[in-house]
Structure formats: structure tokens, C-alpha cells
Amino acid sequence: MHVHELALLMATVRHLADGTPEEVPEEAREQLTALLENYDEQVGRLTDRPAPAADVPEQGGESG
């Protein structure tokens, strides 16, 4: 899955969870809200990751 596909999917989930309560059953909205909370938590953790090693080309470092 590409980043833009994931972004579109999550935007759709947000729309369903927040913007269309009359069209989505309450149980489904609760599940979507829980999914979004978990997703947001995991995205927040991305900034906590250490920077890639400079000597490892696969991780974006310079090649020798």
C-alpha cells in the first residue's frame, strides 16, 4: 500500500466516523473511532523513532 492510498483510506474512515452518523450504525462508528485513535497514536510514535544510520544505504544514509 502506498502512502497516498493509506491517507485516502484514513480520510474516508474519519468521514464515516465523524461526518455521517445517520448513515453508519453506532457500533460501526465506535469501531472506526477506535481504529482512528490507534492510527493517530501510531503516527505520533513515528516522530519518536531514532534517525537512520548514516552508513546504511537502505535506510537513507549515504553510500560509500
Side-chain angles (χ1 to χ4, degrees):
M1 181 177 279
H2 296 278
V3 172
H4 63 275
E5 293 169 328
L6 180 58
L8 178 60
L9 177 63
M10 296 314 293
T12 302
V13 169
R14 285 186 200 284
H15 174 72
L16 290 173
D18 297 336
T20 56
E22 66 281 349
E23 298 173 16
V24 180
E26 181 64 28
E27 183 179 351
R29 285 187 27 240
E30 290 173 2
Q31 291 173 352
L32 292 171
T33 300
L35 174 75
L36 287 169
E37 289 172 357
N38 184 273
Y39 173 78
D40 290 339
E41 179 183 331
Q42 296 303 317
V43 168
R45 290 183 180 181
L46 290 175
T47 59
D48 296 338
R49 300 176 82 193
D55 61 341
V56 181
E58 303 85 51
Q59 293 185 354
E62 296 179 21
S63 59

